Amino acid sequence: MPSHSNEDTEAVTGDPASDQATLLGLIADPDMPETIADRLADTLPDQLDGEWRVEVDADPVTATLTGTSEILEQTAHKCDAHGWTFAICITDLPVRSDDGPVVADIDHDRGVAVVSVPGMGGLQTPRRVHQVMRQVIDELLGEYEERDEPGQVREQRRHGLSGKVIGLLAPIRRKAVETEGSHLDVRYVTPGRRGRLRLLSGMVRTNRPWRLVFGLSRALAAAVATSAFGLSSSTIWMVGDQLNIGFKVLTTVTVIAALVTWLIAAHDLWEKRGDTRSDPQLARLYNASTLLTLIIGVVALLLILFVVNFLLAWLILPASL
């Protein structure tokens, strides 16, 4: 069974059998990456060859960092401090490169890597992270086999793991990296427009837009109370009956836009290009993900309001009316 605390680690180090185990540390940002790391700690040891122990260290290590080189450096320090064999940082920080959005960066020499959750996309994210983690672990173990076609993820895996695992994540590509002054030597990216769309959807998923409904619970309560009054007002029914469908759609869109704009302005959610010095284009991605997150959340709020009003009308209004 994997260990999830440093105290457990110290307690077990005295066991001779534990000295034979390969120690893998997962350094996870709070929230979604931490949830994924906990799942990996439960499932990975049974799927890897040999004896493995996986420890999770929930630490916002990337909060003050801007790129994977800095994250790898911090991960290497933590790996040495904890006595791990390998260490992988799971972050919700979106990372871009000249080749496209970054899924994973790997440092073979120090046995560390960083995996960017947004690069996996917005659908089936935990499963995709699990698949990439298997690939990254093989990389750290030195079990990658070079293919004739450069730049492509291998299709044959040692120890029986098929290349179809990574093929499901297409168009992920493996790139050898030679950067002066950096320990980074392997990078997995999602090139092209599809990769950028996947990164954007992953950023929206990481934002968890459904939580906005809980954040606006007071606004929802006020809207329900106001709409309940409207259900009992014959004037509102008469006005609504006279309006055409186009005007109603325009009104709904205007309401959504107004609420989204107010949320952005009130909470200072709009990124300026200068705020992302390492990559100015990230400002566009952050703003696009913010817009999509708020739009999804506000639309969900309106759908809940519609369902509540529909039920109220069904309960209190005669069918003939």
Side-chain angles (χ1 to χ4, degrees):
M1 292 296 292
S3 174
H4 294 272
S5 66
N6 297 333
E7 291 78 8
D8 293 340
T9 304
E10 295 174 359
V12 178
T13 51
D15 184 359
S18 67
D19 296 336
Q20 305 293 329
T22 302
L23 300 180
L24 172 64
L26 300 180
I27 306 169
D29 287 343
D31 212 349
M32 186 176 180
E34 183 180 357
T35 302
I36 293 175
D38 288 335
R39 293 179 182 175
L40 290 170
D42 291 333
T43 58
L44 278 178
D46 295 332
Q47 299 174 3
L48 299 173
D49 293 336
E51 185 179 353
W52 286 74
R53 291 179 52 245
V54 180
E55 300 175 6
V56 176
D57 182 6
D59 185 3
V61 65
T62 63
T64 58
L65 305 180
T66 58
T68 55
S69 295
E70 297 179 12
I71 298 174
L72 286 172
E73 190 71 28
Q74 190 68 21
T75 302
H77 288 318
K78 280 187 170 290
C79 184
D80 294 337
H82 287 273
W84 294 328
T85 310
F86 304 110
I88 302 175
C89 179
I90 305 175
T91 178
D92 55 9
L93 180 72
V95 184
R96 293 185 68 259
S97 69
D98 293 337
D99 298 315
V102 175
V103 171
D105 277 347
I106 301 167
D107 177 356
H108 283 117
D109 294 336
R110 295 186 292 183
V112 296
V114 55
V115 173
S116 175
V117 175
M120 310 293 173
L123 299 175
Q124 299 181 322
T125 304
R127 180 180 66 83
R128 287 174 171 174
V129 173
H130 183 276
Q131 292 168 347
V132 169
M133 287 290 291
R134 293 294 303 271
Q135 181 80 10
V136 169
I137 291 172
D138 273 5
E139 287 274 5
L140 294 175
L141 290 171
E143 295 179 356
Y144 174 81
E145 297 177 356
E146 190 67 37
R147 286 172 46 81
D148 294 334
E149 299 84 352
Q152 291 189 1
V153 174
R154 61 180 169 154
E155 295 179 357
Q156 293 183 352
R157 308 287 301 276
R158 293 175 67 180
H159 303 293
L161 184 59
S162 171
K164 292 181 180 179
V165 169
I166 291 299
L168 294 173
L169 300 177
I172 288 182
R173 295 291 181 266
R174 182 185 190 273
K175 300 286 184 180
V177 180
E178 295 181 1
T179 304
E180 185 176 355
S182 174
H183 293 275
L184 171 65
D185 46 22
V186 173
R187 167 170 283 171
Y188 285 87
V189 298
T190 53
R193 181 177 300 177
R194 185 178 176 185
R196 293 191 294 271
L197 291 176
R198 173 171 289 174
L199 176 61
L200 179 59
S201 66
M203 293 172 68
V204 173
R205 169 68 183 271
T206 304
N207 289 338
R208 298 186 177 183
W210 55 87
R211 296 191 302 182
L212 182 62
V213 175
F214 301 101
L216 296 175
S217 57
R218 293 184 179 180
L220 177 60
V224 169
T226 303
S227 59
F229 168 78
L231 288 176
S232 62
S233 171
S234 59
T235 303
I236 292 180
W237 281 97
M238 292 172 63
V239 172
D241 187 56
Q242 294 298 317
L243 298 178
N244 60 55
I245 186 64
F247 186 83
K248 293 177 182 178
V249 171
L250 178 62
T251 302
T252 303
V253 172
T254 302
V255 168
I256 294 173
L259 185 52
V260 168
T261 302
W262 177 81
L263 289 171
I264 291 175
H267 300 280
D268 194 22
L269 300 177
W270 197 255
E271 294 278 348
K272 301 178 179 60
R273 291 190 177 185
D275 295 338
T276 50
R277 292 169 293 175
S278 60
D279 186 357
Q281 294 187 18
L282 271 179
R284 296 181 181 178
L285 279 172
Y286 278 121
N287 290 334
S289 66
T290 297
L291 279 175
L292 288 174
T293 299
L294 294 177
I295 289 173
I296 293 172
V298 171
V299 168
L301 188 73
L302 291 180
L303 288 175
I304 293 174
L305 184 61
F306 176 83
V307 172
V308 171
N309 277 276
F310 184 87
L311 293 176
L312 287 175
W314 179 70
L315 288 172
I316 67 177
L317 295 179
S320 58
L321 179 61

